[in-house]
Amino acid sequence: MIYLVWSLPALVVIGAIVSGRMGALGASMCGLAVSLVVALTTAPQGYQLVDAGLSLVRGAWIGWVVVPYIMGGLLFWQIAVRTGDAILPAATAAPEGQAARRLLFAACFLIGPFAESATGFGVGIIGTMTLVRRFGMGPVQLLAFSLLSQTMILWGAMGSGAIVAAALARTDPAVLVIHTSVLVVAFNIAWLALYWRLADRAGFKAGWRERSSEALWLGASLGLVIAATAVFGAETAMLAAYGPVIALRYLLDERPDARTLIRMARRMLPFALLIAWLAATRLIPPVEAFLADTGRMQPFEGAPAWAPFLHAGTWLIVAAVLTGLLRGRAGAFAADLGTAWKTGRLAVFSIFTFSAIAEILSGSGIATGLAGGLFHAFGGVAVVLMPLVSAVYGALANSSNAANGLFMTAQVSLATAAGLDLPAAIALQHAAALSLNMVSPVRMSIACSLAGTPGRERDAYGAMLPFALAAIAVLLGAATVVAMGWV
């Protein structure tokens, strides 16, 4: 019975979302209230009001460290890309034949993920759909290709999801992302094969030579972003890796004349300068040391530190302001800020609440107690079950933060109790939490709204079902490997 009581925070949140009467924020607030009551009355160890207060403050701190990534990314994108009708590299007229196939691949696997990495929240869907819809394809095909922009969500929103997950698991974000990237590579291999089938059915046929080229481009891009994570960290890895790749792809595919190239270079200059500065702050030791030490705060052991002058979110905000000033759009700054806040506010509040829930469940010992009960009841099979539940919940909540907030601490405790490889178990949990975000109801709704086809979500789910099943298959295989102790 006690295990059922300890499960109430997760059950309440899941039930609230499944009922359709609440979004992720409302559900998380209910879960937070229930977790406080459960922790204060039934925790397996002494847990008082002062402990609860400490957990809430600690959760708020974790959320605060992530907020600049979210708001900075949204604001920069709002100003640098949309201001002045700037667009990402692409031809202005819809190409045909092999050129169309190449642009389709770039839109789905390069440009869309790049946009998602800077902002999150499904913004990559907009970038991909803007390019793909010019081909005049059917609405369901348009929806499916646009949703493929979410394939690299591990690095979405400047890696903020990984930073939260690492804080909850008490590990380093870059280490977590590098371990999780093994599963993301497996996801992309499966998704690329399904993309080939989808593209052929949509009339963008290609032989094995073109497919091999696509596989090489994707493989090289994945290798670069993983290497960039090791060098720069999770926040700036996608910008540093995919920015140059997209530029190179544009030059090879479009072969622009000097006039077009200069015009495009001006449009993309804010991205180039931002990437160069962020790289410098990580690669030049004196600069990194000075920025890391200036104003650094870390009030909680094991929680992420906040170094405002090294924080990528800070420089995103600075870059947004400078770009607006240089383009003579200072008067629109308030409107851009309002739009960014409108887009990101629910995610900001949800990060605070889910981080607080995770800290309460961890600090009170409930997560450890639940993990012990699951291990006693199911043994190593519990390590397989937990990621599957996380995957479904992450899709329902449209957030890996939500799934990790409820299940990460329990997964850590479960892996520890079972004597399994802890980094692998943590990576499995995080990969599961984000694996089905591509087909989350929120992203489906965004795609259908942008495509002008509201009410076609069921058709979109049908088209994306193979991609979801492929992710589940990869998760099951990885969970089995971890549970059997083969890593």
Side-chain angles (χ1 to χ4, degrees):
M1 182 63 182
I2 189 62
Y3 294 113
L4 178 60
V5 174
W6 289 346
S7 301
L8 282 178
L11 294 176
V12 166
V13 174
I14 294 172
I17 291 179
V18 172
S19 70
R21 297 180 179 180
M22 288 187 182
L25 177 58
S28 69
M29 294 179 69
C30 290
L32 178 58
V34 172
S35 65
L36 281 170
V37 173
V38 171
L40 291 170
T41 57
T42 67
Q45 60 191 46
Y47 193 75
Q48 306 299 322
L49 281 173
V50 65
D51 301 308
L54 182 62
S55 295
L56 290 173
V57 174
R58 185 184 173 98
W61 175 259
I62 293 172
W64 163 250
V65 172
V66 173
V67 165
Y69 293 116
I70 297 172
M71 297 308 301
L74 286 170
L75 184 62
F76 178 68
W77 184 266
Q78 182 75 19
I79 293 175
V81 174
R82 296 179 185 175
T83 295
D85 297 323
I87 57 172
L88 290 168
T92 55
E96 298 178 351
Q98 189 178 40
R101 170 73 181 223
R102 289 179 175 176
L103 178 57
L104 180 66
F105 170 81
C108 293
F109 287 96
L110 299 177
I111 297 174
F114 177 83
E116 191 69 21
S117 74
T119 58
F121 312 103
V123 172
I125 295 172
I126 300 174
T128 299
M129 187 174 290
T130 299
L131 300 176
V132 171
R133 73 186 318 155
R134 295 177 301 155
F135 294 128
M137 62 182 64
V140 176
Q141 294 168 336
L142 177 63
L143 293 173
F145 286 125
S146 299
L147 287 166
L148 286 179
S149 64
Q150 308 299 292
T151 52
M152 299 293 285
I153 201 170
L154 172 61
W155 288 272
M158 299 294 289
S160 59
I163 293 167
V164 172
L168 300 178
R170 311 295 195 265
T171 189
D172 180 76
V175 173
L176 170 60
V177 171
I178 290 172
H179 279 88
T180 308
S181 64
V182 175
L183 288 170
V184 174
V185 170
F187 289 150
N188 274 271
I189 291 172
W191 289 335
L192 180 63
L194 293 170
Y195 161 80
W196 287 339
R197 181 168 171 262
L198 187 66
D200 285 349
R201 289 184 172 183
F204 300 89
K205 297 184 180 297
W208 282 106
R209 182 176 180 179
E210 184 64 28
R211 291 185 177 187
S212 298
S213 174
E214 292 171 349
L216 287 173
W217 274 96
L218 181 58
S221 300
L222 286 166
L224 283 173
V225 75
I226 294 170
T229 300
V231 175
F232 302 118
E235 316 101 294
T236 59
M238 277 288 289
L239 293 181
Y242 271 47
V245 168
I246 291 172
L248 176 61
R249 179 85 185 197
Y250 171 70
L251 293 174
L252 293 175
D253 287 350
E254 305 298 338
R255 301 185 183 279
D257 56 33
R259 190 173 182 178
T260 302
L261 185 59
I262 291 173
R263 184 175 67 251
M264 189 59 66
R266 287 176 176 173
R267 289 176 173 176
M268 302 311 297
L269 184 60
F271 283 95
L273 293 177
L274 175 64
I275 292 170
W277 171 245
L278 290 175
T281 63
R282 270 66 178 173
L283 293 179
I284 303 175
V287 174
E288 181 182 20
F290 174 77
L291 296 177
D293 293 337
T294 304
R296 178 184 174 89
M297 290 184 286
Q298 189 174 16
F300 301 102
E301 184 180 356
W306 183 51
F309 295 99
L310 186 66
H311 200 296
T314 302
W315 295 111
L316 281 166
I317 296 172
V318 171
V321 173
L322 291 177
T323 301
L325 291 174
L326 292 174
R327 288 181 173 173
R329 301 280 296 183
F333 184 75
D336 289 328
L337 184 61
T339 301
W341 173 246
K342 183 178 180 180
T343 303
R345 67 183 188 276
L346 293 180
V348 168
F349 291 136
S350 295
I351 286 175
F352 281 121
T353 52
F354 280 114
S355 296
I357 291 173
E359 290 300 320
I360 290 169
L361 297 180
S362 176
S364 64
I366 288 177
T368 302
L370 271 175
L374 286 170
F375 181 65
H376 179 74
F378 300 103
V381 177
V383 179
V384 179
L385 297 176
M386 186 78 75
L388 296 180
V389 174
S390 297
V392 173
Y393 181 68
L396 291 174
N398 188 42
S399 170
S400 64
N401 294 322
N404 285 328
L406 287 178
F407 303 116
M408 178 61 83
T409 49
Q411 179 78 337
V412 170
S413 299
L414 185 61
T416 303
L420 302 176
D421 184 87
L422 190 56
I426 293 172
L428 175 64
Q429 164 60 32
H430 187 47
L434 54 82
S435 62
L436 296 182
N437 275 206
M438 181 192 297
V439 294
S440 74
V442 172
R443 280 173 167 77
M444 284 289 184
S445 178
I446 291 172
C448 288
S449 176
L450 291 172
T453 56
R456 298 294 298 270
E457 285 86 354
R458 178 173 295 184
D459 295 330
Y461 275 118
M464 298 306 294
L465 181 61
F467 293 86
L469 292 177
I472 292 295
V474 171
L475 280 179
L476 277 173
T480 301
V481 168
V482 173
M484 296 298 292
W486 293 342
V487 293

